[in-house]
Amino acid sequence: EDLLDIIGNGKNVERIQKHFRKMFAGLTSIQLDSQDEKSIRAIVSKEGEVVNLASNVSMNDKINAWLTHLEEAMKLSLASLLNKATAKYHAVCEPFNASTYLGWLDEYQAQLIVLSAQIAWSEKVQRVLLANSGLNNGLEAVESSLITTLNMLADTVLTHQPPIRRMKLEQMITELVHKRDVTRGLINNSVVSADDFKWLQNMRFAFDANNGDVLQQLSIKMADVSMFYGFEYLGLVDKLVQTPLTDRCFLTMTQALAARQGGSPFGPAGTGKTESVKALGCQLGRFVLVFNCDETFDNNAMGRIFVGLCQVGAWGCFDEFNRLEEGMLSAVS
């Protein structure tokens, strides 16, 4: 039904826009160029966050062609904006200044500011450990800078803030609290080498600004696994609070991904199994689609879902997988 509506109204942007939330993780509407109404200049999330595209996307082609171009433009725009945001973050944080920091928060999208903070933290800790200065207060300096930033963010979030800035502040606080806890763990475990597993088991963000392909500038490492970031626009998602259990789940799942296998977290209801998989997808910049399995799923339905996932390169998270019938389970496996 939705597909027929999209194909039948290929030229009617207003009719198509309502389907965007089913096709993209964070994109819900588009902004057209004021001079050319057949040209897309920006994408907008449901919260109203705007991402200006690096180059306009023409809608004169068939609908499937311009939607593909829109997806490519979204990823390229985010990647080039991340390059700028990361470069500016170093200038904002050294020395730390609250007003310039908040100006930087407002300038870039929530997804990019969290990534910039993750990249900066990973680079700082890696530098300290490579210089073997974990012994002489190198990690304490990293922890102290995180606490300074957290105190400023905590004071700011208590005052009246515009909705988008407030969500950015909340995401940054959640992320930096986790980074502070990890840094403290490294100090308590007396980690002094960059090859120590207690450091390698953490999610590390490596940014190579010299790489010619902007989509391959950011790689995410965990233990011996390295993956490129997906650059799917996620919008302003609520950030999951990361605990040691979440970290262990991420470590196991990334190992499974590297071995080209799936993962199956199990446990009591409401403990965050699905949310952890979605959070890992967000950390890696991927589109995660959640399907609730029940007795009505048959081989054809599963086949269609798998073919669709393969074609678009998204992740599939099958909730209540154990509710499928035995015959279905064996066919799917």
Side-chain angles (χ1 to χ4, degrees):
E1 212 173 284
D2 289 343
L3 199 55
L4 286 171
D5 193 24
I6 293 166
I7 295 166
N9 296 286
K11 302 290 181 198
N12 186 342
V13 181
E14 291 301 318
R15 285 288 293 273
I16 294 169
Q17 288 206 66
K18 68 180 183 187
H19 298 293
F20 279 158
R21 66 184 61 212
K22 293 176 188 171
M23 292 188 269
F24 297 96
L27 190 165
T28 51
S29 61
I30 52 178
Q31 285 184 358
L32 302 178
D33 196 309
S34 51
Q35 270 87 40
D36 179 8
E37 290 204 342
K38 285 287 176 191
S39 183
I40 304 166
R41 69 171 184 83
I43 57 176
V44 187
S45 74
K46 71 172 188 287
E47 298 82 7
E49 187 179 63
V50 179
V51 181
N52 291 313
L53 299 176
S55 56
N56 286 7
V57 175
S58 168
M59 295 192 298
N60 290 322
D61 290 336
K62 288 180 181 170
I63 181 159
N64 56 325
W66 71 254
L67 278 172
T68 306
H69 294 323
L70 178 63
E71 185 186 7
E72 288 165 1
M74 166 186 77
K75 291 181 177 180
L76 285 169
S77 304
L78 282 174
S80 52
L81 281 167
L82 178 65
N83 202 328
K84 295 173 189 167
T86 310
K88 204 160 183 182
Y89 185 74
H90 293 297
V92 166
C93 286
E94 291 160 15
F96 183 77
N97 180 298
S99 58
T100 50
Y101 190 92
L102 291 173
W104 172 79
L105 273 185
D106 292 336
E107 189 177 343
Y108 294 100
Q109 291 72 24
Q111 188 174 345
L112 303 181
I113 62 171
V114 171
L115 279 174
S116 300
Q118 290 170 323
I119 292 164
W121 174 82
S122 303
E123 286 176 353
K124 267 188 201 170
V125 177
Q126 184 74 2
R127 257 199 317 272
V128 166
L129 295 176
L130 282 174
N132 273 338
S133 59
L135 293 169
N136 52 19
N137 301 334
L139 288 173
E140 275 85 348
V142 175
E143 186 195 8
S144 148
S145 72
L146 284 170
I147 290 169
T148 306
T149 312
L150 272 170
N151 288 339
M152 185 279 292
L153 292 173
D155 291 341
T156 312
V157 84
L158 291 173
T159 59
H160 177 71
Q161 300 293 341
I164 290 180
R165 187 198 267 191
R166 175 170 291 282
M167 290 186 82
K168 287 179 181 177
L169 290 166
E170 287 168 358
Q171 286 200 11
M172 281 299 271
I173 289 170
T174 308
E175 185 56 46
L176 294 180
V177 164
H178 178 246
K179 295 288 175 260
R180 182 200 63 194
D181 292 346
V182 172
T183 311
R184 279 181 184 165
L186 295 174
I187 294 167
N188 295 338
N189 288 310
S190 307
V191 175
V192 291
S193 162
D195 296 326
D196 193 315
F197 184 70
K198 287 190 175 67
W199 162 239
L200 294 177
Q201 70 179 358
N202 295 297
M203 196 173 273
R204 308 175 317 280
F205 291 72
F207 189 74
D208 177 13
N210 300 320
N211 192 322
D213 184 353
V214 287
L215 294 176
Q216 294 191 355
Q217 286 182 341
L218 177 57
S219 53
I220 295 158
K221 299 175 181 180
M222 204 164 189
D224 59 346
V225 177
S226 179
M227 288 173 279
F228 291 120
Y229 188 75
F231 286 107
E232 176 78 33
Y233 177 58
L234 305 169
L236 285 152
V237 287
D238 286 333
K239 203 155 175 53
L240 190 72
V241 173
Q242 274 180 259
T243 63
L245 178 61
T246 322
D247 291 335
R248 285 208 298 280
C249 177
F250 284 2
L251 181 61
T252 311
M253 297 296 243
T254 48
Q255 289 292 314
L257 279 171
R260 293 280 185 271
Q261 293 184 330
S264 177
F266 68 94
T271 47
K273 300 180 292 294
T274 307
E275 289 305 319
S276 294
V277 173
K278 282 162 69 178
L280 179 60
C282 288
Q283 292 280 44
L284 300 175
R286 308 296 163 98
F287 185 19
V288 182
L289 288 158
V290 179
F291 303 94
N292 276 307
C293 302
D294 56 31
E295 296 76 20
T296 60
F297 271 56
D298 59 6
N299 287 341
N300 292 338
M302 275 298 197
R304 283 200 302 274
I305 289 171
F306 283 142
V307 169
L309 289 173
C310 294
Q311 284 180 336
V312 299
W315 283 11
C317 176
F318 295 88
D319 222 351
E320 306 285 350
F321 197 67
N322 52 331
R323 281 166 56 184
L324 294 175
E325 290 173 5
E326 278 180 23
M328 268 298 300
L329 277 173
S330 76
V332 166
S333 65

